[in-house]
Amino acid sequence: MSSNKNIYIGAMSGTSHDAIDVSILKIEKDITLDFFHSKRIPNSLRTRIKNIIEQDSVTLVELGQLNKKIGYLFAQAINESIVKAKINRNKIKCVAISGQTIRHDVASANPFSMQIGDPNVVCNEIGLTTISDFRNMHISLGGEGAPLVPEFHNELFHSSRKSKIILNIGGIANYSYIKNKNHFWGSDVGPGNALIDAYCQKYLDRPFDRDGKIASKGKVISRELRRLLLHKFFKQKFPKSTGKELFNLNILSKQFLKESPENILATLVEFTAMSVDKSIKANNHTFDEFIVCGGGGKNKFLIKRLAAILNNEVVLSNAYGHDIQAIESMAFAWMGYKRINNQVMKVQLGKNKFNKGLLGSIIQAKP
């Protein structure tokens, strides 16, 4: 390793709010993932986060305390990663974080995205320059604040010969369309794992449907599927963004929830898969390769249904040497690299409209 600071760390907690993922990158001519670590968020904190999102209610005291607690948890995850990876801190240029999103509201007159996990706490606890608040700068430049990953997907996967779709399935699903090095596009498309996992946690006392085994034994309830696909989100113009404030169990009908777990989960898997297909067709995106990353890639039944509905091979990013679980935190490490080196990023305003700007706020580590 050279004597220059060429190590960048990205840390984030996605819409599934189950863990803090940390990626340690070496960025020189190429992007190399040196180490990946995932730290589980304690169940008590997960429950508090879930309740705040779904109930859209929190006291100022609780919000302030939770902001600090999540900040300390981020710092722990980052420090653990540095120790486990045996990285010399003097080689680390910066750490970039995307805290835990608890509200994403870009449809109002004053759009905003709210993350908790105080970056001041993180910076002080890890002793490294920390960059945060990428989403609100994105919004200020005219974007949606999400998804932020299309430009990184382009950097990682572009090919001069093949157009690609990179589908990230977290709590919310988003995809990037990459035509070539200079032409990329991205948008949220629907619920991802959000409804599947929420049902498992509330009604089956399990965190998720491993491999989609329960769903694979059920049948789709067509009436509920048609109703879900009429949700107002699918009528909004692209590009767009969403969160669990829209896609939670409250959107499911009471009659549907009387069905068997197998049928309910089969229907929710179909809803996620059809949301993706619906979005791709709406944007007339033809592609040579379809690549999946994010935790939803572990749901074998969901991947099978995606392939069937798309009538196309669906490949996990692992086949390209990129761990499905690591890509999003890798993206934030790369965005930290861009910001600390004062390199602008593209902010998508419409189908072929972009703005440019520096994303992220820098907090310098104390001397």
Side-chain angles (χ1 to χ4, degrees), residues 195 224 227-228 231 246-253 271:
L195 296 172
E224 185 74 4
R227 191 186 70 82
L228 289 171
H231 192 283
L246 270 189
F247 289 107
N248 57 64
L249 295 180
N250 293 328
I251 70 170
L252 304 181
S253 69
F271 180 38

Side-chain angles (χ1 to χ4, degrees), residues 15 53 101 103-105 171-172 188 190-191 194 233 241-248:
T15 46
I53 293 170
T101 299
R103 189 72 184 177
H104 187 77
D105 185 354
I172 299 299
D188 283 355
F233 172 76
S241 58
T242 188
K244 286 187 173 179
E245 57 273 2
L246 270 189
F247 289 107
N248 57 64

Side-chain angles (χ1 to χ4, degrees), residues 29-31 150-164 177-185 334 338 343 346 354:
K29 288 184 179 179
D30 297 313
I31 299 169
E151 192 167 350
F152 178 68
H153 285 166
N154 184 57
E155 186 77 16
L156 211 57
F157 292 104
H158 84 271
S159 168
S160 58
R161 297 181 182 87
K162 294 181 178 180
S163 58
K164 300 178 181 181
Y177 173 65
I178 300 170
K179 189 173 183 180
N180 54 51
K181 176 71 173 176
N182 299 311
H183 184 121
F184 61 89
W185 178 99
W334 180 77
K338 296 280 282 186
Q343 296 180 14
K346 286 185 176 181
F354 291 88

Side-chain angles (χ1 to χ4, degrees), residues 234-353:
F234 300 111
K235 299 173 184 176
Q236 296 173 14
K237 291 182 179 180
F238 290 92
K240 53 191 173 182
S241 58
T242 188
K244 286 187 173 179
E245 57 273 2
L246 270 189
F247 289 107
N248 57 64
L249 295 180
N250 293 328
I251 70 170
L252 304 181
S253 69
K254 292 180 180 179
Q255 188 64 34
F256 175 62
L257 287 171
K258 295 177 183 178
E259 294 283 344
S260 70
E262 292 82 1
N263 290 352
I264 289 174
L265 289 171
T267 304
L268 296 181
V269 165
E270 201 75 2
F271 180 38
T272 291
M274 289 195 70
S275 298
V276 174
D277 181 60
K278 187 181 180 79
S279 298
I280 292 170
K281 287 177 178 174
N283 288 289
N284 297 313
H285 283 153
T286 58
F287 54 91
D288 298 309
E289 295 181 356
F290 194 99
I291 303 167
V292 170
C293 58
K298 296 179 180 179
N299 187 323
K300 294 179 181 178
F301 184 62
L302 174 56
I303 299 302
K304 180 180 177 181
R305 290 306 303 146
L306 268 172
I309 291 169
L310 294 167
N311 192 27
N312 200 89
E313 182 181 20
V314 173
V315 179
L316 299 185
S317 63
N318 297 38
Y320 293 79
H322 303 299
D323 184 341
I324 59 170
Q325 202 70 42
I327 287 181
E328 198 161 9
S329 52
M330 286 174 64
F332 281 100
W334 180 77
M335 284 188 272
Y337 159 81
K338 296 280 282 186
R339 180 63 185 90
I340 203 73
N341 291 294
N342 290 318
Q343 296 180 14
V344 298
M345 290 184 63
K346 286 185 176 181
V347 175
Q348 190 169 322
L349 306 179
K351 187 172 182 180
N352 294 305
K353 295 180 180 179

